[in-house]
């Protein structure tokens, strides 16, 4: 792949402007289009070409990057993009679900183009810097062909597989982990706060707990992949007893007990399904089923 590749960026909101600016600064001839045309002005001043229409922008790029609010916004642009997309590569950095990503892949295939889906894990000001991190999915060969160009957005790129839905699913798994972690920290801060302890005093202990739990992940993952959950340390029954105590502590302290109660409910279901004597990783069996 030669160094400079014509890029079209469609959608110049906060993120689209950052993406187009990074392609420009990396030396790629960049054509931009936005529904509200004035948002292109700063980029045009930096050297971007202004397209008068979506079709004109798509026609100018080998790599066509779309970053609009959501897939509903993209749906309105599809006929205009699809008419001239044949033979090009579309990189969709619009947030959506894996279902939307896969459905759009069928549309791109039908118009004779190739398709990558990206999940941006960074803020606009981080794009093009060492802090940028973007997950991609879609055909490996297409990713490899354009990887050097995509690195204009930052070296933090990872390709997760051919299935177009995977970048979105990894992003979802990541935020699920983060929300659980943050909720645990904030519930703990509320519990300690009721005893007059500052949240700041909790931080070193919380960090130590996070590091300890992080050290367990690889072993848990092996058990999940193998489908056998020997209790190497504590059984789910022991965990459930400790969860019951935390529910009680929270209620006595007058803080919200919903989080430990929810966690205990999960453990109780695992026990009801026969996993009481297994290790904690067996809880995955509860997460594998929709709630009935
Ligand atoms: N900002 C972030 O920190 C961040 C981080 C990760 C991912 N993302 C994702 O990046 C995407 C864009 O986010 P953003 O922050 O750039 O949002 P934004 O500033 O609100 O910009 C939205 C963009 O979508 C365009 N748009 C909306 N509806 C449209 C329609 N019907 N037809 C044509 N264009 C339409 C807007 O055009 P107008 O200018 O004409 O309104 C604008 O260019 C979202 O999917 C977001 O989840 C953003």
């Amino acid at each position: 792949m030669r160094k400079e590749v014509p890029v079209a960026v469609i959608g110049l909101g906060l993120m689209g402007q950052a993406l187009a600016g990074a392609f420009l600064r990396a030396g790629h001839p960049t054509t931009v289009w936005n529904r509200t045309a004035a948002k292109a002005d700063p980029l045009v001043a930096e050297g971007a070409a202004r397209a008068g229409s979506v079709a004109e922008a798509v026609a100018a790029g080998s790599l066509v990057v779309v970053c609009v609010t959501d897939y509903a916004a993209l749906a309105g642009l599809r006929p205009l993009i699809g008419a001239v997309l044949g033979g090009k590569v579309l990189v969709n950095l619009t947030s959506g679900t894996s279902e939307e990503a896969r459905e759009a892949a069928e549309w791109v295939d039908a118009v004779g183009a190739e398709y990558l889906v990206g999940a941006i894990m960074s803020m606009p000001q981080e794009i093009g810097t060492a802090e940028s991190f973007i997950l991609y999915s879609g055909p490996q060969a297409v990713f490899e062909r354009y990887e050097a160009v995509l690195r204009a957005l930052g070296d933090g790129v990872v390709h997760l597989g051919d299935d177009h839905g995977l970048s979105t699913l990894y992003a979802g798994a990541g935020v699920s982990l983060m929300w659980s972690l943050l909720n645990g920290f904030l519930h703990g801060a509320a519990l300690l706060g009721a005893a007059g302890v500052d949240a700041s005093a909790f931080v070193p202990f919380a960090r130590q707990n996070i590091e300890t739990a992080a050290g367990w992940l690889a072993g848990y993952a092996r058990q999940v992949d193998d489908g056998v959950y020997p209790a190497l340390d504590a059984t789910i029954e022991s965990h459930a007893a400790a969860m019951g105590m935390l529910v009680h502590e929270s209620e006595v302290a007058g803080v919200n007990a919903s989080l430990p109660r929810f966690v205990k409910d999960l453990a109780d279901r695992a026990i009801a399904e026969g996993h009481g004597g297994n290790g904690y990783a067996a809880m995955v069996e509860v997460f594998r089923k929709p709630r009935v």
Side-chain angles (χ1 to χ4, degrees), residues 8-60:
V9 179
I10 292 166
L12 302 174
L14 293 170
M15 186 52 84
Q17 289 184 37
L19 301 172
F23 284 123
L24 268 178
R25 285 188 285 279
H28 300 292
T30 304
T31 303
V32 293
W33 179 86
N34 193 58
R35 180 179 61 178
T36 307
K39 287 190 188 168
D41 292 351
L43 292 160
V44 172
E46 265 193 77
R50 186 197 306 271
S53 66
V54 179
E56 195 183 312
V58 175

Side-chain angles (χ1 to χ4, degrees), residues 58-143:
V58 175
S62 303
L63 188 74
V64 179
V65 176
V66 180
C67 186
V68 290
T69 305
D70 52 24
Y71 276 73
L74 175 59
L77 300 175
R78 272 196 195 187
L80 304 165
I81 295 174
V84 276
L85 193 64
K88 299 174 186 287
V89 172
L90 179 69
V91 178
N92 187 8
L93 298 176
T94 303
S95 300
T97 65
S98 59
E99 192 181 14
E100 288 173 317
R102 290 176 184 138
E103 191 276 331
E106 288 173 24
W107 160 66
V108 176
D109 188 51
V111 299
E114 293 175 300
Y115 186 45
L116 294 172
V117 180
I120 302 175
M121 308 303 287
S122 306
M123 293 180 292
Q125 51 272 37
E126 294 171 328
I127 297 299
T129 75
E131 310 307 318
S132 171
F133 187 43
I134 305 182
L135 312 175
Y136 289 98
S137 52
Q140 170 99 23
V142 178
F143 175 77

